[in-house]
Amino acid sequence: MSQTDQYRFQVNLGGMIDILANHLYSSPRVFIREVLQNATDAITARKELRKVAAESKVLKEDKTLEATASESNNYEGKVIVELSGAGEQQVLMIQDNGIGLSEEDIHRFLSIIGQSSKKGADLLASETSFIGRFGIGLLSCFMVSDEIVVLTRSVKEGVSMEWRGKPDGTYTIRRLETELPVGTQIYLRCKPGSEFYYEPAHVEESLFYYGALLPYPVILSVDGETKRVNLPSTSWMQDPEQLRSRRSEVLDLGYRLMGERFSDFIPLRTASGRTGGIAFILPRSVNLNSKRLHRVYLKHMLVSDKAENVLPEWAFFIKSLIWTDELQPTASREYFYENEQLDAVRSELGTCIREELLRMAEYEPDRLQHWIRLHELSMKALAVEDDEFLRIMHRWFSFESTFGRRELSELIREAGGRPLHYTSTVDEYRQITHVAAAQSMLVINGGYIYDSDILEKLHWIDPNLQTERLSPEEVSLSFTGLTQEERENYYGVLRVMDAALQPMRCRAELKRFEPASLPVLYTISQDALTLRSMENTVEETTSLFSNVLDSLKAGVQQNSGYSTLYFNLNNPVVARILEATDTQMVTAATEMMYVNALMMGHYPMNRSELGLMNRSVLHFINWGLGNGQNT
Amino acid sequence: MEETIYELMEQAQDMPGGAAKLAILEEAVRLADTSGLKELAYEIRGEIVDCAIFNGYPLKSLIAFSWQLGQFDQNPEEYDADELLWNYKWILGKVCSFSNISKTQIEDLAEDMRRRYAEYGYNERPYYYYKFRIAMDMGNLEEARRYLDTFRLIERDSMSDCEACEQSQMVRFYYLAGEDEQALAVAKPILSGRMRCAEVPHVTLSQVLLPLYRQGEVDQAKEQHRKGYRLVRDDRDFLKTIAEHIEYLTIADPVQGIEVVERHLHMALDYESGLEQMYFYATMVSLLQKLDTSGEKRLIRLPASLEWGKEERTLTEIIAYFRPLAESAAADFDRRNGNTFYSEWIGKIVQTA
């Protein structure tokens, strides 16, 4: 006996099946997909065999190519699914007229787990004309049956064989006396608890779900009644442009397959023709974060109804049906590998959608406008990435502005050749909107997602479209300044006001502006706003962090500048403050105006500002009571 | 008022991370503050910390976190300690990006985190791991190497960063140290897809490009660039990673590099943290110099938000504008870090005039 003995791993088949059922596949229902897949592979294999045979015949007998074609064409694949029995005696039979298995094939494919009908290559990664891996696929049937019986006869040998497998890993093989038709039949007896998966309605639905696009008949037979389950014709898969002339049929298909009533769609096709599809336009607005769930068929079989990565990110207004023979599915065959091929396919499909939208812009602007109104965000997302698209579409995009929500073409007209003013945040927009509106000044709110990105890019697509970012401080440009005389008169008061506001790093300005009912306007830059929130936080945090924030303040302070409190001379109260001679009075009034502006703008006040308010209120009460006594 | 705040929060929830979402959250927090709703304000700030840190607004994140920490210390029983402690790491991972924060302050923060983790029963793996990262951020590679050996000996617990993140930081170390073979070896489980998370392989792929390229694996480098750039290109959070792609393109494909620069310059311009901004400016200057000396006359489209860029500018002018910005930022970092790491790095990639 040698020192080292070699052993072989023992695999517990029961445990393995549990892994498949509970972890690899999303639902036991996939056994239908697996048996359909095996049948499809068998039919494909038989077709290829006929082609090869026909070709060698051609070589031998020098026949024409048409003869070759008809030779391989006059065979038609077919799958018949039969349900019989009731309750625990229920049996599901799947029969194909594909290539069948020889005795050697049975040993190779049915009896060694992990063996694929494709020889040699990497089990999961290789691209082949079969996507099935017979062994593993068949195992999935143990999720719904305690015994799998396979009857088969290979096209190559005449022998009819029976294989019976059990979930404990044992199986038997025997030759049959009777002669079976060429092909394979699989019998599954219902496992207690799996009755649901044997219900005729469920079986029919699953067959349609996975095999709707199979290019040969899938026939379901229950109690002697037979019907075709999958689509009768899929000729448009070769040439998706045909779909345009079959509108109602396509929309029906959309309802049957995607469960939603669509009213419009875009045919998809890559240049190679290996991937095609139908992009249904969603009839409702979608949330930006909603999942993009596309339904993808690989070599005619459903791989996934939740593939998110087959269309570009921006296409979130589309729910699509895709068929392909060039993408590589993951092990569970429910998603696709993110590789260069997928990248190329995704961008080609994106181009189809984009070009259709551009075509609409030229020939069917009403149709386009309808969809833009519903899916503006999605289209804006694309426009940010794609200059050409932006150039064509920008005029239809709408923006919130001081003139209301308007399409950009209208806003451009309103601006009459002057640059379009926009703010880059909602916050800045709110700070200035009422003043701008009162003065009929056109300002666009660029604070919503994609909006300022688009406004920033406009001048690249058309040099005549100038945009200018407006910060709140710049609103003052449109204010009316004071006369020289007013300036001189109010110089002293203004200095008192400045002094009062100085501790809050704010300065006072005197202007005339509309609406007159607005006494003051407080404006603050983004940096100054950050600084404010830092200062307020310093009061609330631990000493270590307040120390850190203090250091950071130094960096922000450099470019933050002062906030500005504009006093409106058109406002009667402000006019009276300016006439006041009592310095203390002016100071208190300025402080009150300041805290009032903060409150109106929902700016939280820090301790010193709260103290300030307190002081001024007391001051006014005191003063009011005093005045009352005097008169 | 509370109703308005909840409405705003709901609105924010439906939005992808970014400036627009932050603006809404900030408005909500201002309303909560002015109404004195402390717990609600705490909750919203949690959202701000999260949204800001992963969308390139580290300063906003830091401010919101500081407030939360102060509030937590006053009423520790009111709030979730685990979440706060977990977020502390994010903050610590960003503090080096601000040259105004001193070395002592950074060390104090790390010690504060260490103390708090110990107090709640977590071990020191995150502490040493962050010391390792901080040392890298500060360009102290020998110190980083010591911490690298320390943190890996401590068991992982629920406060530890995920395996993929830790592995990715190790790749970064060898990448910074110029040890190409080691970098590629450590990157293996990430490149094979075995280790991954929300930020890995995004931040790792850019760090294998030059090592691959230098080892003659040109096609592989190209493929990893394609993959990596796609992952980060729409995300402000990855400005530094994008800069690393530019660094690679400068050598491998400068003309393609222009597109990357054009696409991201506007992000760099209003970036909240100086370190990422410096990376971007420096690699961009290096790329433009290469094109300029090769006689490339193509114009760069500068973003409208850059006032100076409203007129057409030559490559030479753009270089002259951004180069001093990168250099003075590097000098600030070196002063804080007490070494010459970043100035030397810029000196290496930027040609002397």
Side-chain angles (χ1 to χ4, degrees):
Chain A
M1 227 190 172
S2 73
Q3 279 297 89
T4 56
D5 293 336
Q6 224 185 3
Y7 299 100
R8 208 169 242 288
F9 282 116
Q10 303 291 307
V11 174
N12 176 329
L13 190 62
M16 177 101 177
I17 288 163
D18 176 67
I19 289 174
L20 291 180
N22 297 318
H23 304 289
L24 181 60
Y25 295 122
S26 50
S27 145
R29 140 193 230 199
V30 300
F31 82 94
I32 297 260
R33 178 187 74 189
E34 297 302 322
V35 292
L36 263 185
Q37 186 64 60
N38 287 339
T40 303
D41 288 346
I43 289 167
T44 310
R46 188 165 180 190
K47 272 191 194 155
E48 281 186 11
L49 192 72
R50 292 173 71 91
K51 214 160 84 190
V52 172
E55 270 162 18
S56 59
K57 225 191 223 164
V58 171
L59 287 178
K60 261 188 258 163
E61 300 174 16
D62 196 28
K63 276 194 179 164
T64 58
L65 277 171
E66 285 104 292
T68 320
S70 71
E71 173 71 23
S72 57
N73 276 351
N74 62 22
Y75 158 73
E76 207 201 343
K78 191 193 240 184
V79 173
I80 298 170
V81 179
E82 227 174 74
L83 275 169
S84 58
E88 288 191 13
Q89 295 306 307
Q90 279 217 97
V91 172
L92 181 97
M93 191 276 289
I94 304 102
Q95 176 179 20
D96 69 64
N97 60 349
I99 195 163
L101 297 169
S102 66
E103 190 169 348
E104 192 199 337
D105 292 337
I106 291 183
H107 283 291
R108 267 226 316 272
F109 303 140
L110 294 193
S111 311
I112 305 176
I113 293 166
Q115 192 89 314
S116 161
S117 55
K118 157 89 181 168
K119 281 150 265 176
D122 175 4
L123 204 61
L124 294 178
S126 60
E127 195 194 331
T128 99
S129 55
F130 313 110
I131 69 165
R133 291 173 298 278
F134 210 102
I136 293 187
L138 198 61
L139 281 183
S140 67
C141 294
F142 284 128
M143 294 189 285
V144 295
S145 178
D146 280 331
E147 188 184 38
I148 299 173
V149 179
V150 177
L151 302 184
T152 183
R153 189 179 136 215
S154 167
V155 74
K156 288 175 271 185
E157 294 174 23
V159 197
S160 302
M161 302 292 300
E162 181 200 79
W163 178 92
R164 281 173 184 270
K166 291 223 151 62
D168 62 5
T170 61
Y171 63 91
T172 58
I173 300 179
R174 68 182 177 109
R175 287 176 177 237
L176 298 177
E177 298 302 318
T178 51
E179 184 159 310
L180 297 170
V182 170
T184 302
Q185 301 163 31
I186 299 172
Y187 290 85
L188 303 171
R189 185 178 301 278
C190 181
K191 172 171 159 178
S194 295
E195 291 79 9
F196 174 67
Y197 298 103
Y198 286 72
E199 276 170 23
H202 185 265
V203 171
E204 182 180 344
E205 200 210 302
S206 296
L207 287 170
F208 183 75
Y209 178 76
Y210 293 116
L213 300 189
L214 284 174
Y216 52 77
V218 175
I219 288 157
L220 177 64
S221 157
V222 184
D223 302 330
E225 267 185 55
T226 61
K227 65 166 153 181
R228 181 173 176 148
V229 175
N230 60 336
L231 297 175
S233 157
T234 54
S235 59
W236 35 262
M237 286 176 76
Q238 269 70 53
D239 177 18
E241 280 298 311
Q242 287 183 16
L243 294 165
R244 290 188 191 280
S245 57
R246 308 168 75 156
R247 231 186 124 69
S248 62
E249 193 186 326
V250 173
L251 295 176
D252 272 356
L253 182 66
Y255 180 60
R256 281 194 76 188
L257 281 172
M258 323 287 281
E260 197 157 359
R261 296 225 182 260
F262 302 102
S263 63
D264 205 351
F265 64 90
I266 299 167
L268 304 175
R269 187 179 187 276
T270 59
S272 69
R274 294 184 67 186
T275 302
I278 309 170
F280 292 102
I281 304 180
L282 284 165
R284 56 194 158 86
S285 283
V286 262
N287 189 302
L288 262 180
N289 286 335
S290 64
K291 295 221 177 282
R292 292 67 150 154
L293 303 180
H294 305 290
R295 182 177 259 252
V296 187
Y297 290 79
L298 180 59
K299 298 188 178 118
H300 300 283
M301 278 286 291
L302 177 74
V303 170
S304 172
D305 59 1
K306 38 186 168 301
E308 293 184 52
N309 55 3
V310 291
L311 286 186
E313 288 278 303
W314 51 260
F316 50 86
F317 64 112
I318 296 287
K319 202 163 175 181
S320 69
L321 182 69
I322 310 276
W323 51 86
T324 180
D325 67 2
E326 57 184 329
L327 297 178
Q328 191 194 332
T330 57
S332 68
R333 275 182 270 165
E334 289 175 1
Y335 298 96
F336 290 100
Y337 279 112
E338 187 63 58
N339 59 16
E340 192 157 0
Q341 189 112 29
L342 178 57
D343 223 16
V345 165
R346 177 171 41 225
S347 89
E348 272 195 78
L349 297 181
T351 304
C352 290
I353 298 172
R354 170 186 179 274
E355 280 176 357
E356 178 82 6
L357 294 172
L358 293 177
R359 230 183 343 257
M360 284 189 213
E362 196 166 351
Y363 302 110
E364 303 169 89
D366 293 346
R367 180 176 165 217
L368 179 69
Q369 264 176 297
H370 169 71
W371 292 123
I372 289 185
R373 271 197 288 278
L374 206 51
H375 297 299
E376 193 164 30
L377 270 187
S378 197
M379 312 238 179
K380 280 181 174 172
L382 171 58
V384 168
E385 289 198 5
D386 181 337
D387 288 352
E388 176 58 17
F389 190 78
L390 176 62
R391 200 175 62 74
I392 307 289
M393 299 295 162
H394 70 267
R395 64 191 117 146
W396 285 298
F397 291 154
S398 69
F399 294 86
E400 180 181 325
S401 80
T402 42
F403 288 11
R405 188 155 195 102
R406 295 285 172 84
E407 280 184 4
L408 194 61
S409 55
E410 231 177 303
L411 294 172
I412 292 169
R413 213 169 27 244
E414 293 282 0
R418 288 188 307 271
L420 288 166
H421 291 288
Y422 70 97
T423 65
S424 63
T425 67
V426 179
D427 212 65
E428 290 176 345
Y429 182 75
R430 291 202 182 138
Q431 283 187 53
I432 58 178
T433 173
H434 45 304
V435 176
Q439 300 177 52
S440 312
M441 183 183 174
L442 174 60
V443 181
I444 300 172
N445 182 355
Y448 295 114
I449 190 155
Y450 308 127
D451 282 2
S452 56
D453 292 332
I454 286 177
L455 294 164
E456 274 230 356
K457 288 185 101 179
L458 283 178
H459 77 280
W460 287 343
I461 57 151
D462 179 355
N464 296 322
L465 285 179
Q466 288 299 325
T467 52
E468 239 167 61
R469 186 182 149 180
L470 191 68
S471 61
E473 307 99 278
E474 285 162 328
V475 179
S476 58
L477 297 175
S478 64
F479 293 172
T480 320
L482 304 188
T483 62
Q484 187 60 33
E485 197 193 344
E486 283 171 327
R487 218 183 289 273
E488 280 165 20
N489 279 349
Y490 301 137
Y491 179 76
V493 191
L494 196 57
R495 283 193 53 184
V496 175
M497 289 175 150
D498 259 341
L501 294 174
Q502 163 74 29
M504 280 76 71
R505 262 197 326 281
C506 181
R507 56 195 202 92
E509 283 257 16
L510 291 182
K511 295 276 176 184
R512 289 185 186 280
F513 52 88
E514 292 309 317
S517 58
L518 192 72
V520 290
L521 177 72
Y522 177 72
T523 66
I524 180 165
S525 69
Q526 280 302 304
D527 283 325
L529 199 60
T530 306
L531 195 61
R532 259 193 81 81
S533 77
M534 285 169 104
E535 284 174 340
N536 293 358
T537 306
V538 164
E539 293 178 358
E540 302 278 344
T541 188
T542 66
S543 63
L544 176 56
F545 270 87
S546 71
N547 196 316
V548 169
L549 289 176
D550 274 332
S551 306
L552 281 171
K553 263 162 61 183
V556 181
Q557 217 152 358
Q558 281 170 4
N559 33 28
S560 68
Y562 274 46
S563 56
T564 306
L565 192 65
Y566 293 98
F567 286 83
N568 186 2
L569 257 177
N570 289 349
N571 180 278
V573 178
V574 170
R576 285 193 60 195
I577 296 175
L578 289 169
E579 299 300 336
T581 46
D582 180 351
T583 306
Q584 258 191 310
M585 195 62 234
V586 172
T587 302
T590 304
E591 289 171 346
M592 279 304 277
M593 286 292 183
Y594 176 77
V595 288
N596 182 48
L598 288 187
M599 286 194 292
M600 298 307 287
H602 298 303
Y603 297 100
M605 283 183 271
N606 57 35
R607 254 170 242 157
S608 68
E609 284 158 355
L610 285 170
L612 194 91
M613 180 163 80
N614 216 12
R615 251 194 344 268
S616 332
V617 169
L618 289 178
H619 185 90
F620 277 112
I621 292 174
N622 206 10
W623 179 77
L625 290 174
N627 254 9
Q629 276 169 2
N630 283 350
T631 45
Chain B
M1 190 57 83
E2 238 177 306
E3 210 169 286
T4 321
I5 298 174
Y6 281 117
E7 260 167 39
L8 287 169
M9 285 172 76
E10 226 164 82
Q11 214 180 318
Q13 205 156 34
D14 289 343
M15 297 182 77
K21 179 174 181 168
L22 268 179
I24 291 177
L25 289 172
E26 283 177 335
E27 191 180 341
V29 95
R30 274 210 305 274
L31 292 177
D33 281 351
T34 45
S35 322
L37 301 165
K38 288 254 174 181
E39 278 164 43
L40 199 51
Y42 185 96
E43 189 188 332
I44 303 167
R45 280 193 170 84
E47 303 271 324
I48 292 180
V49 169
D50 198 349
C51 176
I53 203 100
F54 293 113
N55 291 286
Y57 296 93
L59 183 60
K60 288 188 195 307
S61 188
L62 178 66
I63 296 170
F65 180 80
S66 303
W67 190 96
Q68 279 191 306
L69 197 68
Q71 190 60 29
F72 177 83
D73 279 359
Q74 285 172 35
N75 294 305
E77 62 291 339
E78 290 285 327
Y79 305 104
D80 179 10
D82 279 357
E83 194 190 310
L84 194 73
L85 291 179
W86 179 263
N87 293 359
Y88 207 146
K89 295 189 303 176
W90 297 345
I91 301 300
L92 209 51
K94 289 286 184 191
V95 284
C96 296
S97 304
F98 302 99
S99 58
N100 279 309
I101 301 182
S102 72
K103 204 172 169 178
T104 324
Q105 284 172 329
I106 293 169
E107 280 162 9
D108 289 348
L109 288 171
E111 295 308 321
D112 186 51
M113 186 183 92
R114 179 193 211 173
R115 176 183 65 74
R116 288 172 186 270
Y117 275 30
E119 196 180 317
Y120 282 85
Y122 297 106
N123 72 22
E124 295 198 315
R125 187 177 173 109
Y127 166 77
Y128 283 109
Y129 168 69
Y130 273 85
K131 290 292 271 188
F132 162 61
R133 290 182 51 165
I134 288 168
M136 282 195 284
D137 283 343
M138 293 211 193
N140 297 324
L141 294 189
E142 281 323 302
E143 196 184 318
R145 200 186 291 273
R146 281 201 304 281
Y147 287 121
L148 171 65
D149 294 336
T150 318
F151 92 78
R152 292 170 71 196
L153 294 176
I154 306 168
E155 232 176 282
R156 187 184 297 282
D157 69 17
S158 62
M159 276 298 146
S160 305
D161 269 21
C162 80
E163 210 187 343
C165 281
E166 290 185 349
Q167 189 82 6
S168 160
Q169 289 294 332
M170 281 154 56
V171 176
R172 177 173 171 225
F173 174 77
Y174 295 113
Y175 165 75
L176 289 176
E179 297 171 22
D180 288 355
E181 270 177 41
Q182 267 296 78
L184 292 174
V186 177
K188 242 188 179 156
I190 293 173
L191 297 185
S192 73
R194 191 171 74 68
M195 287 185 184
R196 58 187 317 156
C197 69
E199 293 191 7
V200 175
H202 312 45
V203 295
T204 329
L205 295 179
S206 62
Q207 295 172 348
V208 299
L209 305 179
L210 285 174
L212 281 171
Y213 192 86
R214 288 193 284 247
Q215 303 225 326
E217 302 276 358
V218 179
D219 286 344
Q220 261 240 50
K222 199 172 157 191
E223 170 65 12
Q224 300 298 354
H225 159 68
R226 185 192 68 78
K227 257 194 190 162
Y229 181 60
R230 196 185 120 70
L231 287 174
V232 298
R233 100 187 148 181
D234 296 317
D235 204 332
R236 266 176 70 94
D237 190 25
F238 297 111
L239 191 66
K240 190 151 138 281
T241 304
I242 290 164
E244 285 162 359
H245 281 281
I246 296 174
E247 189 180 9
Y248 156 79
L249 288 172
T250 303
I251 293 170
D253 189 354
V255 174
Q256 203 202 328
I258 298 183
E259 284 173 32
V260 178
V261 165
E262 283 184 340
R263 197 181 162 113
H264 299 285
L265 181 55
H266 75 100
M267 288 185 191
L269 287 175
D270 78 331
Y271 212 73
E272 267 191 350
S273 113
L275 190 65
E276 279 86 347
Q277 199 174 43
M278 176 199 73
Y279 261 95
F280 190 91
Y281 289 168
T283 54
M284 162 180 153
V285 165
S286 150
L287 176 91
L288 299 188
Q289 280 185 336
K290 175 140 185 209
L291 289 164
D292 203 22
T293 49
S294 73
E296 172 81 37
K297 284 281 170 275
R298 210 180 118 163
L299 289 169
I300 304 278
R301 302 197 315 185
L302 297 166
S305 51
L306 180 66
E307 275 303 307
W308 172 85
K310 286 219 162 147
E311 292 162 43
E312 275 183 12
R313 301 287 180 180
T314 63
L315 292 182
T316 320
E317 282 174 314
I318 300 174
I319 293 164
Y321 181 87
F322 283 101
R323 185 174 163 170
L325 295 178
E327 284 173 338
S328 74
D332 287 343
F333 282 112
D334 284 348
R335 202 173 306 123
R336 192 267 314 270
N337 301 341
N339 57 29
T340 53
F341 183 80
Y342 287 115
S343 302
E344 276 173 33
W345 173 71
I346 289 192
K348 248 181 275 170
I349 66 163
V350 170
Q351 301 155 28
T352 32

